[in-house]
């Protein structure tokens, strides 16, 4: 009988944990619906939901003062949340669709009051190093795009002059 009660206790704990997870996810949906993005961002970090966090960061950046709100939000994060955020950033940055949001969050993170403690934390080093190669690739891609746009503008200007 002791084994049965242990199993049922384990099952009860599992059920309680699932209920708690479900409640937290509902709370997250409510926060996003009510446009309480700062709380939703922090909750998505604690629930380990990187792509939900990405979507919330994107919604924040779409606001008129989104970049400053993001900076204030990142200033309020704890070091364990920053570690999670850096891990998410490394993942987001691998996909060019998410580059703009990832780079804006990275900029806000580097501009935050936490930047002095980054060097002191060896756990963060792995995440920083993971950001470098993809950031360089995105920079090269955007540099080529800018060069092509400049050439296109030059060509257009020459064509307009030849019409005169």
């Amino acid at each position: 009988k002791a084994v049965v009660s242990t199993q049922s206790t384990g099952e009860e704990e599992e059920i309680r944990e699932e209920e708690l997870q479900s409640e937290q996810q509902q709370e997250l949906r409510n926060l996003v619906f009510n446009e309480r993005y700062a709380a939703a961002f922090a909750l998505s970090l604690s629930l380990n939901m990187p792509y939900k966090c990405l979507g919330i960061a994107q919604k924040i950046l779409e606001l008129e003062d989104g970049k400053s709100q993001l900076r204030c939000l990142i200033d309020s994060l704890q070091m364990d949340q920053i570690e999670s955020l850096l891990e998410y950033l490394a993942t987001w940055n691998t996909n060019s669709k998410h580059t703009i949001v990832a780079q804006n969050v990275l900029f806000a993170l580097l501009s935050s009051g936490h930047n002095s403690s980054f060097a002191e934390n060896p756990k963060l080093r792995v995440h920083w190093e993971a950001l470098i190669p993809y950031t360089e690739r995105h920079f090269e891609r955007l540099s080529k795009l800018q060069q092509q746009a400049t050439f296109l503008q030059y060509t257009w200007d020459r064509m307009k002059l030849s019409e005169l």
Side-chain angles (χ1 to χ4, degrees), residues 53-150:
C53 191
L54 173 70
I56 295 167
Q58 189 167 6
K59 287 181 184 293
I60 292 171
L61 289 168
E62 289 171 359
L63 298 174
E64 189 173 318
D65 61 339
K67 289 183 181 184
S68 64
Q69 283 190 29
L70 190 61
R71 235 179 263 129
C72 291
L73 170 61
I74 288 174
D75 277 335
S76 69
L77 296 177
Q78 302 297 318
M79 192 51 73
D80 62 325
Q81 291 174 311
I82 288 177
E83 186 177 343
S84 295
L85 182 58
L86 263 175
E87 184 180 344
Y88 297 173
L89 277 170
T91 302
W92 301 342
N93 205 36
T94 60
N95 188 330
S96 61
K97 287 192 305 188
H98 309 309
T99 302
I100 301 292
V101 176
Q103 292 296 314
N104 275 296
V105 173
L106 179 60
F107 181 77
L109 185 60
L110 290 171
S111 304
S112 73
H114 295 289
N115 65 6
S116 60
S117 59
F118 292 154
E120 300 167 7
N121 192 333
K123 292 180 183 178
L124 300 180
R125 183 178 181 91
V126 174
H127 303 304
W128 286 118
E129 289 174 354
L131 283 166
I132 293 170
Y134 284 100
T135 299
E136 287 175 347
R137 286 182 194 167
H138 297 312
F139 179 75
E140 288 172 10
R141 182 175 50 83
L142 290 174
S143 294
K144 285 179 185 178
L145 187 62
Q146 182 181 21
Q147 184 181 24
Q148 290 172 347
T150 302

